[in-house]
Every structure is written in C-alpha cells, then in structure tokens.
Amino acid sequence: MDASSVLTFLLLILTAIANADAATAARSYDWKSLHRRSLLANGLAATPQMGDALVSTGLAKLGYIYVNIDDCWAELSRDDKGSLVPKKSTFPSGIKALADYVHSKGLKLGIYSDAGYFTCSKKMPGSLGHEEQDAKTFASWGIDYLKYDNCNTDGSKPTVRYPVMTRALMNAGRPIFFSLCEWGDMHPALWGFNVGNSWRTTNDIADNWDSMISRADQNEVYAELARPGGWNDPDMLEIGNGGMTQNEYIIHFSLWAISKAPLLIGCDVRNINKLGVQAKKVRMEGDLEIWAGPLSDYRVAVILLNRGPGRTALTAYWDDIAQESEAKICRKYNSNGGFTCMQDVYSETSCLRILGSWDEEHNNS
C-alpha cells in the first residue's frame, strides 16, 4: 500500500480490524480448559487486530474484515420497547441492513456502546441497565464486534459493570468480539481476560511523539498479560494524521505491531504473527532501548529505538533478545563464519551480516 492510500484510510470514519484466519487459530485452542475463562470463552481474538478495511482497496483479501462504527450512530432516545434506534439521518435503512451489506462483501460489522447511561458524546444512550436487551439487539442485527466505553456511569467500578455486558453477550446467541475501553483506569489487563477480548491500557492517544511513546511505555508494563484471546490495547494508531514525522510514525507502528496491539488504521500487516506473545524492553540505556518478542517458527522481532534527538549507534545482544522469549535464536553458518539473516521491513535490506550482535544506526528525527 502506498503512502497516499494509508492517508486516505486514516481519514475514514469507519474503522476496522483484521482477522488473520482467527477461526482456524481459535480451533487450535481449548479455550475453556486452557485459559480457564470464567465469563468469556467465545474463541475470538486469536490474533491481534489490524486496521481499516474496504473491499475496493483489496485489503479484505489480506484479512482486513472488521468495519467498526463508533459513537453517535443512534438516536438520543430509545423506542417504546426500550430498544436502541439507529440514527435515521445516518442509517435510514437501519443497522441490520448495513450488517447484511457488509457481510455480503465478506466483511464483519462492529458497533459502539457504553457502560453508562449515555455514551461519551452524550448524543445517544449507553447500555447501563439495558445490557441483555442491547446484546440481543446487536446479535439480531448481525453485529460481530462491540467497543464498550466508560462514560456517564452510576459511579460503580468497571469491574462491576463490564462483566454484566460480558454475560449478556455470551447469552445473545452470536459470537461478538468484546473490546473494553475504560482507559486503563482500573488496570484491566489484570482482570480483562475473563471479561473481554481486548482492553485499553492507557488513556486516549494524541498525534504527537510524547503521547505516543508514553502509551507504549504504559502498555509494555502489562506485556506478560497479553495472549491469544485477549490483547493489551494502547489505543489507535495515529499514522498519517500529520502530527509526527515519518520516522516517528515508523516507530509508532513498529511498537504497536511488536506489542501485538490492535492496529486500528489501514495498513498492510499480512505477516501478522499467530504466536501471540507481546514484546518487551530487553535493554534500556538512557534514550536507547531494545525491544524484542518471539514470533512463530523460531523467529524473533526486534526494534532498536533511539528516543533522543541525536543520531547514535545501537547494539542488540543475542543474550538479551533470547532472554525475554521462549523462541530459540537459530543461526545459519557459511564458510566465512557465523551470520544471521534479518529482514528490515521498512527498507530493501533483506540480510545483515552480524557476529554476535547487530549494530545499526537509528534516528527518530
């Protein structure tokens, strides 16, 4: 995908996530026994989410199949039966008709609600007190994904309100991906796996370096709690919105991808990893950091990150990289000595010759 296409996708109101053959991956797990889930055992989120998807771009063929509607999609008042009413000016044919159309394109439809009396915009009702009814409504419409916000509540804790919707979704008769969005206030990474398929670990991100890198830091704390079926979510990617440099956006995307975070933009992430182990910082020296995490097939993803303003050399050590992963580092040898092939996904470099460590200059400015 070229840069102009990425910019176009980022301007879309509808966001999407991709399912990299989640159904196949889900079948490889015995969810109830392996993960001992007390509430949510729907077999979803076996791989991390991706970004915007429209059939016309060809991205659906690459696995981008979820199209998500965010806030403000409903009328301010429920109908006389207490049901949510799609906003007539925006969805004159209703949400079910939209879901049917989206499904006919081979995609899935996501929707938004809130664990409060109103959503964050205050322009539509929340689901507090209507969880069972709303879950059944979403299922009857053919909804596949629910983002659940945390505004305008009754003052009770998210740990009380969110499981109510979990149970409602499990009883709705349709598998629905459950995205918890309480901004990390009650450390949902500690309890979210029994409740949802992903959980926000941070407050809202802004399109600048300080906001982005701080979200990566906050999310990394919970790396060991992310796994297939439940993912840490440091909020959407800001790539293409103009607030950061190209190199900063590369770092942004790299950190989200290696962290197995939801990638809520229109990017080609065909080589998504199914092992599902979030990367961690394996070395920190001032502004210099090495991030590493295992991939499938005995591979390891590594980021050499310079957070400072100046250009400098970074070295990644095999001992550090292997220490934080269960994957073994497989080295190849030839007559000239030891070397390891490493793919730089942002350049044409396909193989770097190293002897025990990889020295690479990296600059974020």
Side-chain angles (χ1 to χ4, degrees):
M1 180 187 304
D2 58 29
S4 62
S5 296
V6 174
L7 291 173
T8 300
F9 298 137
L10 286 165
L11 294 176
L12 295 175
I13 296 176
L14 297 180
T15 62
I17 63 174
N19 177 345
D21 198 16
T24 300
R27 286 193 292 270
S28 66
Y29 291 91
D30 180 351
W31 297 99
K32 292 183 179 179
S33 60
L34 180 62
H35 297 303
R36 299 170 188 252
R37 307 188 65 137
S38 61
L39 289 175
L40 190 69
N42 58 15
L44 301 179
T47 54
Q49 300 99 301
M50 298 187 212
D52 294 356
L54 294 175
V55 172
S56 61
T57 66
L59 290 177
K61 296 179 179 179
L62 304 178
Y64 297 77
I65 64 172
Y66 283 83
V67 178
N68 296 346
I69 306 169
D70 213 87
D71 201 349
C72 304
W73 60 266
E75 299 286 359
L76 182 60
S77 299
R78 293 173 178 266
D79 65 17
D80 56 3
K81 295 182 180 179
S83 299
L84 292 166
V85 179
K87 199 168 186 177
K88 295 180 180 179
S89 61
T90 308
F91 303 103
S93 298
I95 300 298
K96 188 180 186 307
L98 175 62
D100 290 344
Y101 177 80
V102 169
H103 292 156
S104 74
K105 298 296 182 179
L107 304 175
K108 296 186 177 183
L109 185 65
I111 209 162
Y112 168 99
S113 191
D114 189 286
Y117 296 116
F118 292 93
T119 62
C120 293
S121 69
K122 295 185 179 180
K123 294 183 178 180
M124 61 169 281
S127 292
L128 183 61
H130 293 266
E131 291 88 353
E132 288 284 343
Q133 183 174 17
D134 290 352
K136 290 179 180 178
T137 296
F138 298 149
S140 71
W141 288 343
I143 295 299
D144 305 290
Y145 176 110
L146 173 63
K147 175 184 174 182
Y148 207 46
D149 228 326
N150 192 39
C151 292
N152 304 302
T153 73
D154 60 359
S156 62
K157 295 180 179 180
T159 51
V160 174
R161 286 176 285 110
Y162 276 75
V164 179
M165 180 56 82
T166 302
R167 286 185 282 266
L169 291 174
M170 294 302 295
N171 293 328
R174 180 182 182 84
I176 297 177
F177 184 109
F178 194 23
S179 173
L180 315 181
C181 184
E182 58 89 84
W183 323 300
D185 289 352
M186 294 288 296
H187 307 288
L190 301 177
W191 51 268
F193 190 75
N194 291 330
V195 180
N197 298 114
S198 67
W199 44 84
R200 282 279 296 278
T201 55
T202 72
N203 209 330
D204 292 350
I205 193 173
D207 187 21
N208 62 72
W209 171 263
D210 289 340
S211 176
M212 180 276 292
I213 204 69
S214 67
R215 298 321 185 256
D217 289 337
Q218 294 165 27
N219 189 68
E220 189 265 346
V221 173
Y222 304 106
E224 295 179 356
L225 298 172
R227 56 221 192 261
W231 306 100
N232 293 323
D233 179 4
D235 204 8
M236 70 178 71
L237 287 164
E238 292 282 0
I239 295 169
N241 288 329
M244 288 182 266
T245 67
Q246 179 178 354
N247 283 342
E248 288 172 340
Y249 279 139
I250 288 174
I251 291 171
H252 181 13
F253 183 85
S254 299
L255 290 174
W256 262 237
I258 202 172
S259 298
K260 310 302 186 295
L263 304 177
L264 293 173
I265 62 167
C267 284
D268 181 356
V269 206
R270 287 173 293 182
N271 297 321
I272 189 168
N273 169 50
K274 294 183 180 180
L275 185 59
V277 179
Q278 180 174 325
K280 298 175 63 176
K281 299 175 188 177
V282 298
R283 182 174 288 267
M284 294 179 287
E285 298 177 358
D287 288 333
L288 308 183
E289 297 177 355
I290 308 297
W291 293 58
L295 302 175
S296 55
D297 299 325
Y298 300 103
R299 298 172 298 158
V300 175
V302 181
I303 294 177
L304 283 70
L305 174 60
N306 173 16
R307 299 170 68 142
R311 190 175 182 85
T312 188
L314 282 76
T315 299
Y317 296 95
W318 288 120
D319 288 344
D320 292 337
I321 295 170
Q323 180 179 352
E324 291 298 334
S325 76
E326 297 179 357
K328 296 179 180 179
I329 305 297
C330 295
R331 299 192 184 189
K332 300 178 182 178
Y333 291 89
N334 63 14
S335 59
N336 296 323
F339 73 95
T340 297
C341 275
M342 303 184 72
Q343 178 72 40
D344 183 347
V345 298
Y346 298 110
S347 72
E348 296 180 355
T349 303
S350 61
C351 187
L352 299 176
R353 183 177 177 77
I354 62 174
L355 293 171
S357 66
W358 175 30
D359 292 321
E360 174 69 14
E361 291 187 348
H362 190 80
N363 177 29
N364 68 31
S365 60

